[in-house]
Amino acid sequence: MRVGVTGHTNLVPECVPAVQEAIAETLSRLGGSLVGVTCLAPGADQIFARAVLALGGEVEVVLPALDYRDKLKPHQVADYDELRAAATVVSVLPHMSSGRLAYVAANERMLASVELLVAVWDGEPAVGKGGTADVVEQARASGVPIEVVWPEGARRKS
């Protein structure tokens, strides 16, 4: 089964174990071979990638732009590099720089290739294109089933 992810990048560290467990529970219910499709953004995407790998699945990466890694904060690079090394990069979009346009295109590419979307989402409405709520809306419009993961205690940084 091919499963994509969208989710908040600004989860508070204390809630990460609960989010990891909730994603793992959701994915383990699917059974069979698992391919997780992600942009490997910090936060929900990386938690999802780790859960897919822990369940013996494969991770495919859609990179939004050529400078995607360069936009990470210094403390985020090691996790990104570790997960990217364990994954297969299936697409690097031709955008020169990361930004809303690149994120929207990457999310569209991801959604077109999956059978289910896991959304680590607090249910708040979209504040712009390319964010979690926007991707959930796109999935609904295109008929991709969605599993919302927001366990008790999950929070975003203000």
Side-chain angles (χ1 to χ4, degrees), residues 33-54:
S33 63
L34 179 64
V35 177
V37 184
T38 172
C39 296
L40 281 186
D45 278 41
Q46 291 185 7
I47 296 167
F48 170 84
R50 288 188 190 285
V52 169
L53 292 169

Side-chain angles (χ1 to χ4, degrees), residues 6-8 100 103-104 107 121 124-138 156:
T6 188
H8 301 300
R100 294 268 179 213
Y103 303 147
V104 168
N107 289 325
W121 179 44
E124 292 295 319
V127 292
K129 290 287 186 189
T132 302
D134 182 56
V135 179
V136 169
E137 188 176 304
Q138 289 176 345
R156 293 196 284 165

Side-chain angles (χ1 to χ4, degrees), residues 15-94:
C15 78
V16 168
V19 171
Q20 174 93 26
E21 183 178 330
I23 291 172
E25 287 174 11
T26 299
L27 295 176
S28 64
R29 286 195 311 263
L30 301 176
S33 63
L34 179 64
V35 177
V37 184
T38 172
C39 296
L40 281 186
D45 278 41
Q46 291 185 7
I47 296 167
F48 170 84
R50 288 188 190 285
V52 169
L53 292 169
L55 290 169
E58 298 176 41
V59 175
E60 292 182 355
V61 179
V62 176
L63 294 177
L66 299 171
D67 72 343
Y68 191 63
R69 182 182 183 275
D70 299 335
K71 296 296 182 180
L72 296 172
K73 296 176 178 149
H75 70 277
Q76 298 170 327
V77 172
D79 285 336
Y80 172 84
D81 287 347
E82 174 192 347
L83 290 167
R84 184 171 171 176
T88 302
V89 176
V90 293
S91 185
V92 180
L93 299 183

